[in-house]
Amino acid sequence: VVRDPAISLIVWKILGFLRRLQDGRVKPGHDDSGTLTADNFPRPWAGATVARMTETTRRLAAILAADVVGYSRLIEADEAATLAQLKSLMREVVEKEIAARRGRMVKTMGDGFLVEFASVVDAVACAAAIQRANAERSAAMPKERRIELRIGVNLGDVVADGGDLLGDGVNVAARLEGIAAPGGLCISGAAYEH
């Protein structure tokens, strides 16, 4: 998906030119009212736009996906207290455990977050430490007010697009998170084997 309008226009023009060239409607080097030629072919590589185009890379990574169980119910019951409790959990537990295991917070998504690790051992250790610390922190709270997390961990191929991660490795981690028990952790076979 091309998000930059200038790049979209260039890609559109190039594809149109290639279609006309393939169909034999133009000859290489011929300019038929706006058709791209060697003389007017766009050269976007002379600026910041190209840097964005080349930021997409593929790599193997351990992905931790986490989500708050019953977030909507908690927000409906007491929005201010839930948000304060979640911020505290993120600051005092999650961010510290991620940093201690050399992880990188890819993004937060309201009641969830996605983290990348170079090592699956670090990803699983981080997930277990977060769940343990969260259970200890919330043990004295009434069950209906506790913030519990579901966490999924996968080792898989990801596509890094700028600061974001996409691809099957991320999708599997998110699906594993969805089937994890509240306060639990679900890991993929690939993560288990390593």
Side-chain angles (χ1 to χ4, degrees):
V1 175
V2 179
R3 295 184 184 123
D4 187 320
I7 296 299
S8 294
L9 178 63
I10 292 167
V11 169
W12 179 78
K13 284 185 172 188
I14 291 169
L15 291 174
F17 173 72
L18 292 174
R19 262 193 308 277
R20 288 190 300 278
L21 186 63
Q22 185 178 23
D23 294 344
R25 291 183 277 161
V26 294
K27 302 286 185 238
H30 175 72
D31 186 357
D32 69 341
S33 64
T35 300
L36 297 177
T37 67
D39 296 326
N40 66 5
F41 193 85
R43 290 169 176 81
W45 45 85
T49 308
V50 169
R52 283 185 297 214
M53 289 171 53
T54 60
E55 288 179 15
T56 301
T57 58
R58 187 173 290 278
R59 65 177 174 258
L60 185 67
I63 303 298
L64 182 155
D67 192 56
V68 175
V69 178
Y71 182 72
S72 297
R73 175 187 51 79
L74 291 167
I75 286 291
E76 188 177 305
D78 190 344
E79 182 179 42
T82 300
L83 293 175
Q85 188 180 351
L86 183 57
K87 280 184 178 181
S88 172
L89 173 65
M90 292 298 289
R91 186 177 52 253
E92 296 170 14
V93 176
V94 174
E95 291 172 1
K96 286 182 181 177
E97 294 298 340
I98 291 169
R101 288 165 180 83
R102 297 168 301 282
R104 177 181 75 91
M105 179 73 76
V106 175
K107 61 182 158 187
T108 58
M109 304 152 294
D111 65 331
F113 53 93
L114 189 70
V115 185
E116 176 187 25
F117 294 87
S119 162
V120 72
V121 172
D122 286 340
V124 172
C126 182
I130 288 170
Q131 293 293 44
R132 251 191 320 275
N134 189 37
E136 291 169 7
R137 282 171 47 101
S138 60
M141 296 182 74
K143 184 154 176 63
E144 66 277 358
R145 292 300 314 141
R146 290 182 192 159
I147 288 187
E148 292 182 298
L149 299 173
R150 287 187 173 104
I151 300 179
V153 175
N154 181 42
L155 176 65
D157 200 34
V158 297
V159 176
D161 184 17
D164 202 1
L165 290 181
L166 311 162
D168 196 47
V170 174
N171 294 342
V172 171
R175 288 186 189 114
L176 292 169
E177 169 267 307
I179 62 173
L185 164 64
C186 186
I187 66 172
S188 67
Y192 178 79
E193 289 170 7
H194 287 85

